[in-house]
Protein backbone atom coordinates (compact mmCIF):
# COMPACT_ATOMS: atom_id res chain seq x y z
CA UNK A 1 0.00 0.00 0.00
CA UNK A 2 1.30 3.49 -0.86
CA UNK A 3 2.15 5.68 2.11
CA UNK A 4 -0.47 8.28 1.01
CA UNK A 5 -3.17 5.63 1.34
CA UNK A 6 -1.92 4.61 4.74
CA UNK A 7 -2.17 8.14 6.07
CA UNK A 8 -5.86 8.10 5.17
CA UNK A 9 -6.44 5.04 7.39
CA UNK A 10 -6.60 7.27 10.43
CA UNK A 11 -8.43 10.04 8.61
CA UNK A 12 -11.40 11.59 10.37
CA UNK A 13 -11.05 15.22 9.27
CA UNK A 14 -8.54 17.71 7.85
CA UNK A 15 -5.00 18.09 9.22
CA UNK A 16 -4.03 20.81 11.69
CA UNK A 17 -1.84 23.65 10.43
CA UNK A 18 1.54 23.71 12.22
CA UNK A 19 2.39 26.98 13.96
CA UNK A 20 6.05 28.10 13.68
CA UNK A 21 7.80 29.17 16.85
CA UNK A 22 7.87 32.96 16.92
CA UNK A 23 11.09 34.88 17.59
CA UNK A 24 11.60 37.10 20.63
CA UNK A 25 13.01 40.56 19.95
CA UNK A 26 15.80 41.81 22.24
CA UNK A 27 16.83 38.31 23.32
CA UNK A 28 20.60 37.86 23.34
CA UNK A 29 21.59 34.26 22.52
CA UNK A 30 25.26 35.05 23.21
CA UNK A 31 24.47 34.91 26.90
CA UNK A 32 23.65 31.22 26.93
CA UNK A 33 25.88 28.16 26.44
CA UNK A 34 26.24 26.75 22.93
CA UNK A 35 29.34 24.75 23.82
CA UNK A 36 28.66 21.16 24.97
CA UNK A 37 31.15 21.57 27.81
CA UNK A 38 28.84 24.14 29.41
CA UNK A 39 25.77 22.42 30.87
CA UNK A 40 22.29 23.73 30.20
CA UNK A 41 21.03 24.12 33.73
CA UNK A 42 17.31 23.82 34.44
CA UNK A 43 15.77 27.28 34.31
CA UNK A 44 18.06 28.57 31.53
CA UNK A 45 15.12 29.50 29.30
CA UNK A 46 11.98 31.49 30.00
CA UNK A 47 10.22 30.37 26.84
CA UNK A 48 10.37 28.04 23.86
CA UNK A 49 11.15 31.10 21.73
CA UNK A 50 14.31 31.80 23.71
CA UNK A 51 15.36 28.18 23.41
CA UNK A 52 14.66 28.21 19.68
CA UNK A 53 16.96 31.19 19.12
CA UNK A 54 19.70 29.47 21.06
CA UNK A 55 19.29 26.11 19.30
CA UNK A 56 19.61 27.83 15.93
CA UNK A 57 23.11 28.94 16.96
CA UNK A 58 24.00 25.77 18.84
CA UNK A 59 27.23 23.89 18.09
CA UNK A 60 27.09 21.50 21.03
CA UNK A 61 27.43 18.57 18.60
CA UNK A 62 28.35 17.98 14.95
CA UNK A 63 24.71 18.16 13.79
CA UNK A 64 24.97 21.94 14.18
CA UNK A 65 27.25 22.07 11.14
CA UNK A 66 24.80 20.61 8.63
CA UNK A 67 21.36 21.80 9.78
CA UNK A 68 19.23 24.32 7.87
CA UNK A 69 16.96 24.98 10.87
CA UNK A 70 16.96 23.67 14.40
CA UNK A 71 13.59 21.97 14.91
CA UNK A 72 12.18 22.87 18.30
CA UNK A 73 8.48 22.16 18.49
CA UNK A 74 4.98 22.58 17.24
CA UNK A 75 1.73 22.47 19.14
CA UNK A 76 0.50 23.97 22.38
CA UNK A 77 3.36 24.87 24.78
CA UNK A 78 0.90 24.33 27.65
CA UNK A 79 -0.43 21.01 26.35
CA UNK A 80 -1.16 18.11 28.72
CA UNK A 81 0.50 15.66 26.29
CA UNK A 82 4.08 15.89 24.99
CA UNK A 83 5.14 13.67 22.10
CA UNK A 84 8.86 13.08 21.70
CA UNK A 85 10.22 11.84 18.37
CA UNK A 86 13.70 10.82 17.30
CA UNK A 87 15.02 13.72 15.26
CA UNK A 88 14.18 15.95 12.30
CA UNK A 89 14.11 14.61 8.76
CA UNK A 90 14.50 16.61 5.54
CA UNK A 91 11.04 18.26 5.64
CA UNK A 92 11.55 19.23 9.26
CA UNK A 93 15.06 20.60 8.63
CA UNK A 94 13.65 22.71 5.78
CA UNK A 95 10.65 24.06 7.68
CA UNK A 96 11.98 24.14 11.24
CA UNK A 97 8.89 22.23 12.44
CA UNK A 98 8.78 18.65 13.78
CA UNK A 99 6.77 15.85 12.17
CA UNK A 100 5.61 17.66 9.03
CA UNK A 101 6.51 14.93 6.49
CA UNK A 102 4.59 11.70 5.78
CA UNK A 103 5.21 10.32 9.27
CA UNK A 104 4.00 13.58 10.78
CA UNK A 105 0.85 13.58 8.68
CA UNK A 106 0.09 10.07 9.92
CA UNK A 107 0.79 11.17 13.51
CA UNK A 108 -1.74 14.00 13.12
CA UNK A 109 -4.34 11.53 11.83
CA UNK A 110 -3.71 9.19 14.74
CA UNK A 111 -4.20 12.08 17.17
CA UNK A 112 -7.32 13.29 15.39
CA UNK A 113 -8.78 9.77 15.53
CA UNK A 114 -9.18 10.28 19.31
CA UNK A 115 -9.95 14.01 19.06
CA UNK A 116 -6.51 15.21 20.15
CA UNK A 117 -5.21 18.36 18.49
CA UNK A 118 -1.89 20.20 18.46
CA UNK A 119 -3.81 23.45 19.03
CA UNK A 120 -5.08 22.27 22.41
CA UNK A 121 -3.83 18.89 23.65
CA UNK A 122 -0.42 18.09 22.22
CA UNK A 123 3.10 19.54 22.09
CA UNK A 124 5.51 17.78 19.69
CA UNK A 125 9.30 17.78 19.84
CA UNK A 126 12.31 15.51 19.27
CA UNK A 127 15.20 13.99 21.21
CA UNK A 128 17.65 15.85 18.93
CA UNK A 129 16.83 19.24 17.47
CA UNK A 130 19.00 19.06 14.34
CA UNK A 131 18.73 16.67 11.41
CA UNK A 132 21.16 13.75 11.41
CA UNK A 133 22.65 13.61 7.87
CA UNK A 134 20.84 11.14 5.60
CA UNK A 135 18.25 10.62 8.37
CA UNK A 136 20.54 8.26 10.26
CA UNK A 137 19.76 7.45 13.89
CA UNK A 138 21.11 10.13 16.23
CA UNK A 139 24.31 9.07 17.97
CA UNK A 140 24.73 8.85 21.74
CA UNK A 141 26.92 11.99 21.96
CA UNK A 142 24.36 13.97 19.91
CA UNK A 143 21.51 12.84 22.15
CA UNK A 144 23.59 13.72 25.22
CA UNK A 145 24.50 17.18 23.85
CA UNK A 146 20.82 17.94 23.17
CA UNK A 147 19.42 16.44 26.37
CA UNK A 148 19.45 19.73 28.30
CA UNK A 149 17.15 21.27 25.70
CA UNK A 150 14.68 18.40 26.01
CA UNK A 151 14.73 18.60 29.81
CA UNK A 152 14.03 22.33 29.53
CA UNK A 153 11.11 21.61 27.19
CA UNK A 154 9.66 19.17 29.73
CA UNK A 155 10.08 21.80 32.48
CA UNK A 156 8.51 24.60 30.42
CA UNK A 157 5.57 22.57 29.08
CA UNK A 158 5.12 20.49 32.25
CA UNK A 159 2.94 17.88 30.50
CA UNK A 160 0.91 15.29 32.36
CA UNK A 161 1.65 12.58 29.79
CA UNK A 162 4.75 12.00 27.64
CA UNK A 163 4.55 9.71 24.60
CA UNK A 164 7.87 8.39 23.30
CA UNK A 165 7.74 7.43 19.63
CA UNK A 166 10.03 4.52 18.81
CA UNK A 167 13.04 2.90 20.46
CA UNK A 168 15.44 5.82 19.93
CA UNK A 169 13.14 8.26 21.72
CA UNK A 170 12.66 5.79 24.57
CA UNK A 171 16.41 5.20 24.88
CA UNK A 172 17.17 8.92 24.57
CA UNK A 173 14.67 9.93 27.24
CA UNK A 174 14.49 7.12 29.81
CA UNK A 175 17.62 5.13 28.90
CA UNK A 176 15.53 1.96 28.50
CA UNK A 177 17.14 -0.18 25.77
CA UNK A 178 14.32 -2.71 25.39
CA UNK A 179 12.73 -3.22 21.99
CA UNK A 180 9.73 -1.01 21.24
CA UNK A 181 7.52 -4.01 20.40
CA UNK A 182 8.00 -5.28 23.94
CA UNK A 183 7.35 -2.04 25.82
CA UNK A 184 4.88 -0.12 23.67
CA UNK A 185 1.56 0.59 25.30
CA UNK A 186 2.97 0.17 28.83
CA UNK A 187 2.72 3.11 31.20
CA UNK A 188 5.95 3.96 32.93
CA UNK A 189 7.23 6.86 35.01
CA UNK A 190 10.12 9.18 34.19
CA UNK A 191 11.01 12.20 36.28
CA UNK A 192 7.59 12.11 37.89
CA UNK A 193 5.84 12.09 34.53
CA UNK A 194 3.53 9.43 33.17
CA UNK A 195 5.14 8.08 29.99
CA UNK A 196 4.10 5.62 27.33
CA UNK A 197 6.36 4.25 24.57
CA UNK A 198 4.45 3.99 21.28
CA UNK A 199 5.44 2.92 17.77
CA UNK A 200 7.08 5.55 15.59
CA UNK A 201 4.64 6.61 12.83
CA UNK A 202 7.33 5.92 10.19
CA UNK A 203 7.26 2.27 11.34
CA UNK A 204 3.50 2.23 10.77
CA UNK A 205 4.00 3.57 7.25
CA UNK A 206 6.24 0.57 6.56
CA UNK A 207 3.68 -1.86 8.05
CA UNK A 208 0.36 -1.31 6.28
CA UNK A 209 -1.70 -4.15 7.78
CA UNK A 210 -4.63 -3.16 9.99
CA UNK A 211 -5.28 -6.75 11.12
CA UNK A 212 -5.78 -7.46 14.80
CA UNK A 213 -2.33 -7.59 16.40
CA UNK A 214 -0.63 -5.57 13.62
CA UNK A 215 1.42 -2.44 14.52
CA UNK A 216 -1.41 -0.16 13.34
CA UNK A 217 -3.98 -2.07 15.35
CA UNK A 218 -1.71 -1.88 18.40
CA UNK A 219 -1.28 1.87 17.88
CA UNK A 220 -5.05 2.23 17.85
CA UNK A 221 -5.21 0.44 21.23
CA UNK A 222 -2.44 2.65 22.61
CA UNK A 223 -3.86 5.97 21.49
CA UNK A 224 -7.26 5.05 22.92
CA UNK A 225 -5.56 4.23 26.24
CA UNK A 226 -3.86 7.64 26.12
CA UNK A 227 -7.17 9.37 25.42
CA UNK A 228 -8.83 7.51 28.31
CA UNK A 229 -6.01 8.39 30.72
CA UNK A 230 -6.10 12.04 29.69
CA UNK A 231 -9.85 12.12 30.27
CA UNK A 232 -9.30 10.67 33.76
CA UNK A 233 -6.61 13.22 34.54
CA UNK A 234 -8.69 16.12 33.25
CA UNK A 235 -11.70 15.02 35.28
CA UNK A 236 -9.48 14.83 38.40
CA UNK A 237 -9.75 11.05 38.94
N1 LIG B 1 10.60 11.67 12.67
C1 LIG B 1 10.89 12.11 13.91
O1 LIG B 1 11.22 11.33 14.79
N2 LIG B 1 10.80 13.40 14.14
C2 LIG B 1 10.42 14.29 13.24
O2 LIG B 1 10.34 15.47 13.55
C3 LIG B 1 10.11 13.80 11.96
C4 LIG B 1 10.20 12.50 11.68
Amino acid sequence: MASDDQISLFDLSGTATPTPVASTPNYNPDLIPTDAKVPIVPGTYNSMEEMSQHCNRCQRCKLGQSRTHAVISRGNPQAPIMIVGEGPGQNEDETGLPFVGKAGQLLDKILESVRLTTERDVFICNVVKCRPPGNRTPEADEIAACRGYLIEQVRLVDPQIILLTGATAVRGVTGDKQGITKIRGQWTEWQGKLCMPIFHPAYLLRNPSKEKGSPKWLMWQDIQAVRARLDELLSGE
Side-chain angles (χ1 to χ4, degrees):
M1 190 186 290
S3 57
D4 279 337
D5 297 333
Q6 290 184 47
I7 285 167
S8 69
L9 290 174
F10 284 94
D11 199 1
L12 283 185
S13 56
T15 38
T17 311
T19 314
V21 173
S23 62
T24 310
N26 305 326
Y27 180 66
N28 183 357
D30 290 331
L31 299 178
I32 41 184
T34 59
D35 188 315
K37 291 187 213 82
V38 184
I40 299 165
V41 295
T44 296
Y45 304 105
N46 293 310
S47 67
M48 220 53 76
E49 288 80 2
E50 280 187 8
M51 211 188 90
S52 174
Q53 292 202 9
H54 187 198
C55 288
N56 275 290
R57 299 168 62 117
C58 182
Q59 296 294 336
R60 295 174 71 83
C61 79
K62 54 192 172 299
L63 299 182
Q65 290 158 28
S66 52
R67 69 163 174 257
T68 310
H69 295 106
V71 174
I72 309 307
S73 64
R74 69 179 171 96
N76 177 6
Q78 270 104 46
I81 299 177
M82 173 184 270
I83 299 182
V84 184
E86 179 174 315
Q90 185 180 353
N91 291 300
E92 291 78 19
D93 177 65
E94 282 168 7
T95 59
L97 293 165
F99 280 104
V100 290
K102 285 273 153 61
Q105 290 169 39
L106 178 57
L107 178 61
D108 285 343
K109 300 289 181 199
I110 293 166
L111 296 173
E112 284 167 18
S113 74
V114 288
R115 306 171 321 281
L116 294 173
T117 69
T118 48
E119 283 79 17
R120 182 189 54 210
D121 313 295
V122 179
F123 175 91
I124 303 178
C125 61
N126 281 305
V127 166
V128 296
K129 311 305 181 211
C130 299
R131 183 191 182 199
N135 296 343
R136 66 162 168 73
T137 304
E139 292 167 2
D141 62 320
E142 295 158 356
I143 293 174
C146 220
R147 189 173 174 80
Y149 295 130
L150 182 65
I151 302 285
E152 278 291 82
Q153 289 186 300
V154 173
R155 183 185 65 81
L156 286 165
V157 177
D158 193 23
Q160 293 180 274
I161 292 173
I162 301 179
L163 303 179
L164 306 167
T165 64
T168 304
V170 175
R171 206 168 48 244
V173 172
T174 69
D176 189 339
K177 295 190 175 62
Q178 293 184 85
I180 191 70
T181 305
K182 186 155 178 219
I183 57 177
R184 59 127 283 278
Q186 294 178 21
W187 290 108
T188 177
E189 208 185 299
W190 172 74
Q191 298 213 341
K193 301 283 181 199
L194 200 52
C195 291
M196 183 193 279
I198 57 173
F199 285 129
H200 194 289
Y203 177 71
L204 302 181
L205 289 174
R206 296 193 297 271
N207 289 274
S209 170
K210 289 191 290 174
E211 294 299 304
K212 187 172 179 185
S214 68
K216 271 195 170 148
W217 184 86
L218 292 169
M219 176 63 103
W220 175 234
Q221 313 309 307
D222 295 349
I223 202 67
Q224 288 181 93
V226 170
R227 174 79 245 183
R229 182 59 78 98
L230 178 67
D231 288 342
E232 282 170 22
L233 291 169
L234 294 178
S235 69
E237 281 173 40

